Amino acid sequence: MNIQEEFGQIAQKILDKLEVVCEKNKNKIPYTILENGNYNDLDYIDANPDLGISWWTNGFFAGILWQMYAATGDEKYIAMARVQEAKLDKCFELFEGIHHDAGFMWLLSAVADYKLTGDRKARIRGLHAATILAGRFNPNGNFIRAWNGPDGSDLNSVIIDSLMNMSLLHWAYAETKDPRFHAMAVAHTDTVAQHFVREDGSVRHIVKFDPETGGKLESLGGQGYGHGSAWSRGQAWAVYGFTNAYRHCKKEKYLQKACQTADYFIDHLRACMCVPIDFMQPEEETYEDNSAACIAACGLLELGQAAGEEQGRRYEDAALRILRRVGEKRSCLDDSMDALVTRCAVSYAERNDGAHTLIYADYFYLEAMLKLGHSALMIW
């Protein structure tokens, strides 16, 4: 059996399962599964503006729906995805819960809609989100701040995840030709390249800057094992984020950073392509984060196309081996639960050896498998 046949069969099983799961959850905004195996629902307004409807992952189910439409052509997914878009309009009204993750929320919903259907309302939603994201740019330090904090007090935190959200600004620039969007995305990416990537290719999760002078203050361990460690999902965001930056800007330094961070990711995988929560966690620990595995696989597949032939084969081969392990050992393709990917972890502090699931792991697993069949929507 060749690679196309091998992964094509798995992709079809994923599509078959998701057809049922999407119909079952079409009026929810899922994040993880409950004890009964069903997705939960974040479609509520919480006293904390960061939670409920404004939670950063709330675009990923819409992304699944648009990828399902791109793969199948079945228009029922359009209607389902637009329910998600309408729900996210509440975030614009609440406003205080929108962070740097505006890209995760509206690239996967409104922008995907506009790319596939040309819907003008979706375009406006995407540009609205891009304008809010651009409004978070601090010209003193050339960075987009990550969070708001109580009463908007967090003015200086930047996180590696932000690289993925720059694609919203690149899209807005392509759509409007307003050079400010491009300039902000490039300036922020340059700041991340300078201050987040270590000499060995590992990346920091959080870096704090002086919001008045722009000077670097400190780095924090964030969701990883500790200060100075290498959180695997952060490493995956860097691989995919720098690859996207290269695709949008064609700056050689971004390709170099993508390769550097990808090499670190591949070289520090555990036995049988296992992705630990943090590459520096103790060797005897078996904690995994397969959301990081799926994100990295997507990025490596893209990087494989951008890098030179020999280097590109290394990245594509690593992506295939990672996806093969997820498919064989860490996926659920039956109806025992709604989620696709198991053994994920929000952070090292919240680690467990159970079947914890995350909606973005499911999204990136689907995206990766559709990339192999050349039917994925290019969202980033």
Side-chain angles (χ1 to χ4, degrees), residues 14 56 86 90 144 253 264 279:
I14 292 172
W56 73 274
K90 296 174 191 174
I144 288 176
K253 63 181 177 181
Y264 183 93
F279 290 115

Side-chain angles (χ1 to χ4, degrees), residues 1-11 301 313 316-321 323-324 368-369 371-374:
M1 184 185 297
N2 61 36
I3 290 174
Q4 288 297 319
E5 290 174 335
E6 175 191 355
F7 287 99
Q9 290 179 8
I10 299 172
L301 288 173
R313 282 199 301 269
E316 290 177 351
D317 179 65
L320 293 176
R321 288 185 289 145
L323 290 171
R324 188 173 286 117
M369 298 304 291
K371 282 180 185 294
L372 293 176
H374 307 289

Side-chain angles (χ1 to χ4, degrees), residues 96-238:
E96 290 181 315
I98 302 177
H99 301 162
H100 75 104
D101 295 305
F104 285 131
M105 297 176 76
W106 282 282
L107 273 170
L108 291 153
S109 56
V111 174
D113 184 352
Y114 180 63
K115 286 183 176 182
L116 284 169
T117 72
D119 183 79
R120 303 299 290 180
K121 290 182 180 179
R123 179 181 185 271
I124 290 171
R125 285 178 171 124
L127 291 176
H128 192 173
T131 302
I132 292 173
L133 181 59
R136 304 183 67 80
F137 183 76
N138 184 333
N140 293 333
N142 286 326
F143 63 83
I144 288 176
R145 66 186 180 112
W147 302 300
N148 298 331
D151 301 317
S153 59
D154 190 346
L155 301 175
N156 61 353
S157 295
V158 180
I159 64 175
I160 192 64
D161 319 37
S162 61
L163 278 181
M164 294 294 290
N165 293 303
M166 293 306 97
S167 292
L168 180 62
L169 299 183
H170 288 301
W171 169 80
Y173 169 61
E175 193 62 29
T176 66
K177 301 301 184 286
D178 186 334
R180 295 175 300 167
F181 290 119
H182 176 76
M184 290 179 187
V186 168
H188 178 82
T189 303
D190 286 347
T191 297
V192 172
Q194 178 182 355
H195 293 289
F196 280 73
V197 183
R198 304 184 183 104
E199 288 187 9
D200 65 355
S202 65
V203 298
R204 301 174 174 90
H205 181 198
I206 302 171
V207 176
K208 286 184 173 287
F209 298 87
D210 185 317
E212 299 291 342
T213 68
K216 178 183 173 183
L217 297 175
E218 62 178 336
S219 63
L220 302 175
Q223 289 165 253
Y225 178 67
H227 183 262
S229 67
W231 179 48
S232 63
R233 191 158 75 246
Q235 197 75 26
W237 292 137

